[in-house]
Amino acid sequence: MPKFKLEYIWLDGYTPVPNLRSKTQLKDFDSFPTLEQLPNWGFDGSSTQQAEGRSSDCVLKPVALYPDGSRNNGILVMCEVMMPDGVTPHPSNSRATILDDADTWFGFEQEYFLWEDGAPLGFPKGGYPGPQGPYYCGVGFSNVGDVARQIVEEHLELCLEAGINHEGINAEVAKGQWEFQIFGKGSKTCADQIWVARYILNRLCESYGVDVNYHCKPLGKDLDWNGSGMHCNFSTKYMRETGGKEYFEALMAAFGKNLDEHIAVYGPDNHMRLTGLHETQSIDKFTYGIADRGSSVRVPHSFINAGYKGYLEDRRPNSQGDPYQIASRVLKTISEVPLP
Ligand code: ADP
Ligand code: MN
Ligand code: MN
Ligand code: MN
C-alpha cells in the first residue's frame, strides 16, 4: 500500500494579497484517492494572520486534487480555510461563497516576472537592458537569458502532469516577464487551477534561486517597462450559442455601471498599471472596442464575425488579482443583464 504525500495548499490571511501556504501529510491509500477520501486537516492560524494566538486552530478542507509530478505518489490538495467548526468559511476564504456556473467559461492570461536579486531575471547588475521591443515572444540568449525558458518549460510539464488545463505560454514585453494561459469551465474550476499553477511556479523557482514577482507594475509606474495583467476571457452559454448586438451592448452597459465593483477585486495597485497610456484604458473609465488593446474590454474579431457571439476579454484584472473574486464579479454583472 503506497504512502501518498498530500501537499495541502491554502491561501493565508495577508491583505491585500494572500500568500500561498502548504504542508505535507502522509496517508496510506490503495490507489490514487478521491477528494471524498481526503480528511480535513488543521494548521496554526496565528502564524498566517488567520487567528489570534489563544485560539489558533483553523481547518483545511480539501476542494480539488492534482497529481504532483515533482514527487513519487505526490498529490497537490487545494483547500479552503474553515473556522474550527469545520463548516463555516473563514473570513479569508475567498472561494467558499463565489458565484459559479459550469456553463460560464474562463480563460485567464497570467503574466508575471521572474525576479532575482531585486530585479527581473536577466537584467544586468545595477542597470537596465536595452529598451522593450525584442523581448515579446523573443528567442535567443540576449532576449530571454539562459534559465528562464527552462523554468517556463518545467512549469508547463508540471502543470500538465497535474492535469491543469494550460493553454499556452509566451515571453512578454519586458525582459524577464512571461505569461501562461489557463482555461476552465466554471469559476472554481478555472480559478483553482490558476492558484495551483502559481503554487507550482513558486515552488519550482526555489531551486533556481529565483522568485516570482506578481506585482502589476514591479518596475514602477514612471519607467517605461511593461506591467503585468491577468486578462479575464469569458463566455456564457448564451454568449456562445445565441449572442447578438443588443445583448452585447446591454452587457457592456452593465460592465460600465459596475466599474468600481470590478476594479475593487481586479488586484491591488492597479492605478499604476491602468493609466490609459499603454495597453489598457485608465482605471476610472470603461470602454470596449473591436480588437482594441487600449480598451477595458477587447472584443475579438471572431466575436464580431460570428454575429456578436463567442468570448470577450476583460483586460483590467491584474497579475496579483484573486481569480476566485474576479470570475465571481464577472458572473455577478452578467447575471444582472436579462436575456432578451
Ligand atoms: P491575447 O494574448 O491575444 O489576449 P491569449 O491567446 O493569450 O490572447 O489568450 C486567449 C484566452 O482566451 C485563453 O486564455 C483562452 O482560454 C481564452 N478563451 C478562448 N475561447 C474562450 C471561450 N469561449 N470562453 C472563455 N475563454 C476563452
Ligand atoms: Mn495573452
Ligand atoms: Mn500578455
Ligand atoms: Mn490578452
Side-chain angles (χ1 to χ4, degrees), residues 109 231 293 298 313 315:
E109 304 168 49
H231 300 165
R293 290 169 190 270
R298 179 176 66 93
E313 177 190 45
R315 300 176 60 77

Side-chain angles (χ1 to χ4, degrees), residues 109 170 179 181:
E109 304 168 49
N170 59 273
E179 168 179 319
Q181 300 109 33

Side-chain angles (χ1 to χ4, degrees), residues 273-338:
R273 166 177 168 262
L274 302 181
T275 59
L277 295 176
H278 300 289
E279 25 127 48
T280 29
Q281 184 51 279
S282 64
I283 194 162
D284 54 358
K285 288 201 188 78
F286 177 83
T287 57
Y288 59 90
I290 299 163
D292 181 0
R293 290 169 190 270
S295 55
S296 318
V297 166
R298 179 176 66 93
V299 185
H301 280 301
S302 62
F303 189 89
I304 302 297
N305 295 342
Y308 291 82
K309 262 201 280 195
Y311 74 95
L312 297 168
E313 177 190 45
D314 193 333
R315 300 176 60 77
R316 299 168 296 167
N318 79 32
S319 43
Q320 258 183 331
D322 176 358
Y324 295 132
Q325 293 298 311
I326 296 167
S328 184
R329 183 59 240 184
V330 167
L331 209 42
K332 173 100 177 42
T333 296
I334 291 171
S335 74
E336 291 170 5
V337 181

Side-chain angles (χ1 to χ4, degrees), residues 8 35 38-41 60-65 77-80:
Y8 278 51
L35 192 55
L38 296 192
N40 284 0
W41 198 16
L60 292 173
K61 178 182 142 193
V63 294
L65 299 188
V77 183
M78 192 65 202
C79 296
E80 281 186 17

Side-chain angles (χ1 to χ4, degrees), residues 219-232:
L219 291 155
K221 75 175 172 45
D222 299 326
L223 294 177
D224 200 15
W225 286 100
N226 204 39
S228 293
M230 189 171 65
H231 300 165
C232 173

